[in-house]
Amino acid sequence: MVKPTPMKSGPFAKMGGNLPIGVDAASVRQRVEVLEQALERMFVIPGINRPIGIDAMLGLLPVGGSFIGAAFGAYMIWEARNLGMGKLAMTRMAGNVGVDWLFGLVPGIGIIPDFFFRSNTRNLRIIRKHLDKHHPATVVIQG
């Protein structure tokens, strides 16, 4: 069994403190959940009470931010492949990342779709569905 790497400072410390490095389903679940939270729901915009994450902030970088965001999305797909997910589910995930990447390429307004089309949240939902069905021991009750 691989011990988790402690994360004592920074924004990830609030998300659990330890990030597992194992290849088992429970470790993968925790990693993709932390990644999704960092990419989509790390901060809340005061006044409108709308969560944003690194993905929306990357949208402020012209073109390059969209590629970096797509790389994070590709990592989630890679984790899904390691779980043995089906090709159809991974194709849907790639489509979500592709749509987010394509919208992010539009100069000036590419950040707007990040508020409404959260590809990483959609992909996490697909991964959770697979894990709940094929690895029921990893199910976490959300409170």
Side-chain angles (χ1 to χ4, degrees):
M1 178 176 244
V2 179
K3 291 191 177 196
T5 305
M7 304 184 93
K8 298 181 189 221
S9 64
F12 294 104
K14 297 176 188 174
M15 294 182 218
N18 293 323
L19 195 59
I21 56 174
V23 294
D24 58 300
S27 296
V28 171
R29 180 183 207 115
Q30 190 174 0
R31 276 197 307 270
V32 296
E33 286 178 350
V34 167
L35 180 62
E36 185 272 338
Q37 186 170 1
L39 290 171
E40 304 289 3
R41 301 177 286 120
M42 184 175 271
F43 309 105
V44 176
I45 300 174
I48 62 171
N49 205 22
R50 182 81 175 163
I52 65 165
I54 296 170
D55 195 28
M57 289 184 273
L58 286 172
L60 298 172
L61 296 172
V63 182
S66 186
F67 282 97
I68 295 169
F72 282 123
Y75 173 76
M76 286 182 81
I77 297 169
W78 181 73
E79 288 282 20
R81 182 191 64 85
N82 290 341
L83 287 171
M85 286 182 62
K87 290 183 181 185
L88 181 61
M90 289 192 305
T91 302
R92 286 181 54 211
M93 291 174 67
N96 289 335
V97 172
V99 167
D100 191 23
W101 171 77
L102 193 61
F103 284 146
L105 290 177
V106 179
I109 61 168
I111 191 172
I112 295 171
D114 283 329
F115 288 104
F116 303 107
F117 185 82
R118 297 179 180 261
S119 64
N120 299 302
T121 302
R122 292 170 185 252
N123 289 345
L124 178 62
R125 196 175 305 129
I126 294 169
I127 291 173
R128 279 181 176 163
K129 184 177 177 183
H130 172 81
L131 286 170
D132 292 349
K133 183 176 181 181
H134 298 284
H135 303 279
T138 66
V139 174
V140 177
I141 298 174
Q142 304 285 326

